[in-house]
Amino acid sequence: MRPSLRTLLLLGLGAAVWRRARRAPFDLGSRVVLVTGGSRGLGLALARELLERGARVMLLARDGAELQRAGQQLGAGPRVHTVMADVTVEADLVRAVDATVDAFGRLDVVVHNAGLIQTGPLANMTEADFRRIMEVNAYAPLRLTRQALPHLRRSRGRVLIVSSVGGKVAVPHLAPYSVSKFASAGLGQALRAELAREGVTVTTVLPGLMRTGSARQAQVKGQQHKEYALFATLDNLPFVSLDGRVAARRIVDALVRGDAETMIGGPAHLLKYAQALAPQLTADALALGNRLLPEPVAHGGAARGQDVETSVTRANPIKRAAERDLNQTGAADQERT
């Protein structure tokens, strides 16, 4: 490398570090945050973390009973409100933004957490599966950001998009999910560049596996019991998955810092760097891993994870603890977080 080029790179790196050090953290005290998918799982964990940092929170979800339980768990009185809404219905998003402003007088942060996950062989996934998950995981954040933008401009607010490591590396048996998360990560990058001139900061986080109890809500195809047993076990495996509360803290840290993009969890970092440094080797390893996964079935629809529990997953104490802590047990039969 020529010295001049090396000097330019070092100067650029120094300027980036200096700029980040000088940037004032985003104070969440008294800020108003709208959290989609806020009634359970990661959304509920994020709401807890935001409240602990002084924010006021509007929880958005489709199920009224789940929202009521979530509000009771948070126990933050007038600092917590709830709104029933479907993130795929634009009129509901308009109503949710209006309800937030009516309740708190302003809107400073939108957290796009609501998501759908499907697991199973590609052969058992339909085009409708791909379209449906795109509506929830990619188009819903775009629509809600647009609805909230006038308020975010006024407060010089922030947008947080919860994507996934699956938005950097496509994982076998999560094809529709990975496609939608690639789209959400790209949306985050585009919004970051376009909205900066309007004073709105956009952060995209890409977590790996997290112990949030969300496996119960997954749609499972193929050999359903085997698929779910594998997915739910990995989702709750120490050193592979991250505790939900720890993940929430790191995600909110990224929001406060104003990061452009942050991986959450050690395995997520490793997978990202493996893909960047050795894409061919990573692709070959994933293809090899796919050979070890359950084969497709000739016919069969989707089942909810909670409906295809096995004795192995049902008895997992780590999984059960996460489900209790994050309002997953006793949840109504809904399709989305």
Side-chain angles (χ1 to χ4, degrees), residues 166-246:
K168 292 293 182 181
V169 183
V171 180
H173 286 218
L174 291 172
Y177 179 78
S178 290
V179 168
S180 71
K181 290 301 185 178
F182 266 79
S184 70
L187 174 64
Q189 290 183 16
L191 291 177
R192 172 90 179 192
E194 298 256 359
L195 299 184
R197 65 188 298 174
E198 302 181 50
V200 178
T201 301
V202 179
T203 293
T204 302
V205 292
L206 300 106
L209 292 170
M210 296 174 289
R211 299 192 290 278
T212 62
S214 61
R216 283 173 58 88
Q217 315 305 331
Q219 294 206 343
V220 187
K221 286 193 164 186
Q223 298 183 49
Q224 294 168 343
H225 289 85
K226 290 182 179 180
E227 291 282 351
Y228 178 73
L230 178 61
F231 180 64
T233 299
L234 289 174
D235 206 41
N236 292 278
L237 197 63
F239 307 109
V240 173
S241 64
L242 188 63
D243 178 80
R245 294 200 184 210
V246 174

Side-chain angles (χ1 to χ4, degrees), residues 1-14:
M1 182 183 292
R2 293 179 300 172
S4 58
L5 181 57
R6 184 184 298 114
T7 300
L8 288 173
L9 289 173
L10 289 173
L11 287 173
L13 178 60

Side-chain angles (χ1 to χ4, degrees), residues 15 18 33 44 58-59 76 88 96-97 139 144 148 157 171 174 202 215 232 237 243 245 255 264 279-280 285 299 325:
W18 177 82
V33 186
L44 182 57
M58 175 68 82
L59 304 178
T88 66
V97 170
Y139 289 119
L144 181 53
V171 180
L174 291 172
V202 179
L237 197 63
D243 178 80
R245 294 200 184 210
L255 170 68
I264 305 295
Q280 184 66 51
H299 303 285
D325 183 47

Side-chain angles (χ1 to χ4, degrees), residues 65-144:
E66 287 179 356
L67 282 169
Q68 184 177 14
R69 288 197 302 271
Q72 291 170 350
Q73 283 191 23
L74 294 174
R79 291 175 55 209
V80 177
H81 285 256
T82 63
V83 57
M84 285 180 59
D86 185 330
V87 295
T88 66
V89 178
E90 190 158 5
D92 280 14
L93 298 181
V94 173
R95 181 169 52 80
V97 170
D98 290 344
T100 304
V101 176
D102 288 345
F104 296 112
R106 59 189 294 170
L107 175 56
D108 302 295
V109 181
V110 176
V111 174
H112 298 290
N113 166 75
L116 178 67
I117 188 165
Q118 303 155 334
T119 181
L122 177 62
N124 290 127
M125 298 296 178
T126 66
E127 184 174 324
D129 291 326
F130 282 83
R131 292 183 180 277
R132 187 180 186 196
I133 201 167
M134 284 290 292
E135 283 290 331
V136 180
N137 293 1
Y139 289 119
L142 172 61
R143 294 187 184 114
L144 181 53

